[in-house]
Structure formats: C-alpha cells, structure tokens
C-alpha cells in the first residue's frame, strides 16, 4: 500500500510539473530580445565601395548599410553596426554577438547548414580585376600570377579550382586591403564580387575587368538558426523592399543607371 501511494504521489507531481510547464509563456525570441534591449546589432562589411565603407566623417555608408538601416527602422529600434568580413560574419552570429548580418553574404549550401538566410536582397557573381599591364585575358592567365582574394570567401574557393597555380595573396577585406595591394602593384589581379570590382574598375584607370561574370549567386541576410519568427519578419521586410521599388532605387543610388539591378522576386 505504501508503495502504491508513493507511486501515485510521484505521478501527481509529474502531472503538476507538466501542467505548469505548459502554462508558462514560450521563451522570448530574438525580436523580443532586440526590442527589450533597445537596439539591433547588425554586422556589415565596410571593406569596399559601394557595398559598405566609411565616409569622410568615418560613418558607415553603402548599399548594405542602407539596407541594414531600413531593416532596423522596420524593427523600430536604432542600429549598432559591427564591421565584419570573411569567416567572422558567421562566427559572430553563432556566438550571439550579432542579431543579423547584412554583409554581402552569398547563400551557399554549406553556410545554410549553420545559419538561416532570408530570401535574396541582392545578387552578384564573381569577377576578375587585373592590372591592365598584366595582360590577363582568361582565368587560365591567373596561374603563376599574384592574385588578391578575400579570406574565407566564395571567391577563394572558386579560384582554387579555376587557377590552382595562382599565387594567392589573402586579404581580410578586399577593399581597402586588396585594392591597396593592387594600387601599389604588389598584386597582378584580384577576384571578388562583381559589383565591387565593376565599381573599382570605373574608379581607377590602371585596372580592367574580365568580361565574364562567374555564377549568379543570391545574397541574403544571415541570422542564427532556431528563430522562425525572426526569419519570417526579415523575409517580409525583403519582400517589401523589392516590391516597393526601394531595391531598384537603392541599387541605382550606388551603381548609377548604367547597370540594371539583378532580377529579384519578392518570393525569393
């Protein structure tokens, strides 16, 4: 009889605990955390015009910075920026040092396994920028040449396959670090996002780009996994950003009217 009473008491306690747990409110998501904190932490890459850089007052500006500011306004809080590049973009998200990353991050299957991505808010391919005097006309011409590449980028992985005999010069950020190496003629060429290199070729007469663009990679806003509410919110923001015309206007602001914005759809 004592054993039966003991078992009944244990079952009753377990049932009460289960009911109490079910009655407790769900753990707050990141949106609630952001609003409670009073600001959103967004990583941007300030390593190259026009994606992200610093103006004469040392303030963050550029295409991605504009997108991040609009996203913060949608959240209803101020934004605090962190300058991130390469592998740090993902590791800082996973370490909960950032809420979101709007830093020209290509959506790849490998990255999608460790972070969540929004639908694309931009798209680009890889382009080769070279010294005019280097006479580089094809990817094969990069073999044996000194080529600047961003550390931990898709460009690095691509070049290892396309020109394995190239002399890799790694830069934490292509601009200003990689561009400075090219300006000083300490590198023959560089490979990076086409939007950045097209902009650089128009700015510096000593450079030219190969006409080919390699791939058409979607670029998304990254966030830590496990928060479907935040992902849905950001997807809604990006869909409105494209549908409203803000995407086309922001693209023309930073690249002018000569280059048409890559085609994007609100549905991704």
């Amino acid at each position: 009889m004592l054993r039966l009473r003991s078992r009944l008491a244990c079952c009753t306690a377990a049932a009460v605990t289960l009911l109490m747990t079910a009655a407790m409110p769900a753990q707050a998501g990141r949106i609630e955390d952001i609003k409670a904190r009073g600001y959103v932490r967004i990583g941007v890459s300030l390593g190259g015009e026009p994606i992200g850089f610093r103006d004469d007052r040392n303030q963050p500006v550029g295409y991605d910075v504009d997108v991040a500011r609009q996203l913060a306004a949608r959240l209803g809080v101020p934004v605090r920026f962190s300058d991130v590049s390469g592998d740090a973009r993902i590791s800082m998200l996973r370490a909960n040092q950032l809420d979101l990353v709007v830093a020209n991050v290509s959506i790849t299957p490998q990255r999608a396994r460790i972070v969540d991505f929004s639908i694309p808010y931009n798209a680009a391919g890889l382009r080769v920028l070279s010294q005019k005097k280097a006479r580089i006309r094809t990817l094969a011409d990069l073999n044996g040449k000194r080529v600047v590449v961003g550390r931990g980028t898709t460009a690095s992985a691509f070049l290892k396959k396309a020109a394995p005999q190239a002399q890799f010069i790694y830069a934490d950020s292509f601009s200003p670090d990689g561009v400075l190496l090219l300006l000083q003629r300490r590198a023959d060429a560089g490979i990076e996002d086409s939007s950045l290199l097209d902009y650089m070729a128009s700015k510096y007469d000593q450079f030219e780009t190969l006409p080919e663009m390699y791939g058409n990679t979607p670029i998304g806003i990254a966030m830590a996994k496990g928060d479907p509410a935040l992902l849905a919110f950001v997807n809604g923001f990006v869909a409105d950003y494209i549908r409203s015309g803000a995407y086309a206007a922001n693209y023309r602001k930073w690249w002018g009217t000569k280059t048409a914005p890559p085609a994007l759809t609100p549905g991704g």
Side-chain angles (χ1 to χ4, degrees):
M1 182 64 71
L2 289 174
R3 288 183 179 179
L4 178 60
R5 288 178 180 175
S6 177
R7 288 176 182 175
L8 287 172
C10 290
C11 291
T12 301
V16 170
T17 301
L18 181 62
L19 288 171
M20 290 178 64
T21 302
M24 291 174 63
Q27 186 177 4
R30 193 171 294 276
I31 293 177
E32 289 76 13
D33 291 343
I34 290 168
K35 292 187 175 181
R37 187 193 309 130
Y39 60 90
V40 58
R41 305 167 301 175
I42 300 183
V44 292
S45 180
L46 303 179
E49 306 172 42
I51 296 295
F53 58 106
R54 293 187 181 276
D55 63 14
D56 294 339
R57 298 176 298 169
N58 203 38
Q59 295 301 306
V61 292
Y63 175 83
D64 276 357
V65 175
D66 283 353
V67 173
R69 291 190 191 280
Q70 292 179 40
L71 178 52
R74 180 76 166 258
L75 283 163
V77 294
V79 57
R80 293 191 182 179
F81 289 118
S82 293
D83 184 6
V84 297
S85 59
D87 295 336
R89 298 175 297 184
I90 303 302
S91 61
M92 289 181 72
L93 269 180
R94 301 184 72 192
N96 194 30
Q97 296 173 311
L98 296 170
D99 301 306
L100 298 160
V101 167
V102 187
N104 200 39
V105 186
S106 302
I107 302 174
T108 66
Q110 294 80 10
R111 287 174 178 158
R113 285 198 288 266
I114 55 178
V115 296
D116 281 336
F117 282 103
S118 71
I119 60 176
Y121 72 97
N122 199 3
L126 295 176
R127 186 94 74 187
V128 173
L129 178 80
S130 68
Q131 305 279 358
K132 288 182 177 179
K133 293 184 178 180
R135 299 184 182 278
I136 293 171
R137 299 292 179 262
T138 68
L139 285 174
D141 293 338
L142 295 175
N143 287 303
K145 302 289 187 181
R146 301 165 300 172
V147 185
V148 177
V149 65
R151 192 182 307 276
T153 62
T154 53
S156 174
F158 173 83
L159 188 62
K160 286 177 181 178
K161 293 182 179 179
Q165 302 305 314
Q167 299 178 34
F168 286 72
I169 302 176
Y170 288 104
D172 289 331
S173 60
F174 195 93
S175 176
D177 300 337
V179 171
L180 181 60
L181 289 170
L182 285 160
L183 285 170
Q184 295 174 340
R185 303 187 188 281
R186 293 163 60 191
D188 303 301
I191 183 167
E192 185 54 87
D193 181 88
S194 58
S195 56
L196 170 61
L197 297 194
D198 287 346
Y199 184 82
M200 292 300 175
S202 68
K203 191 171 181 179
Y204 300 103
D205 187 60
Q206 76 185 68
F207 300 142
E208 61 185 357
T209 57
L210 294 185
E212 293 83 2
M213 187 169 74
Y214 306 99
N216 186 6
T217 305
I219 296 168
I221 297 171
M223 64 208 79
K225 279 190 172 296
D227 196 330
L230 179 61
L231 179 59
F233 180 91
V234 176
N235 278 337
F237 161 78
V238 175
D240 288 346
Y241 172 70
I242 297 168
R243 189 183 298 115
S244 67
Y247 162 59
N250 196 23
Y251 199 92
R252 287 194 297 268
K253 173 183 175 181
W254 293 105
W255 282 277
T257 59
K258 293 182 178 179
T259 303
L264 298 178
T265 60

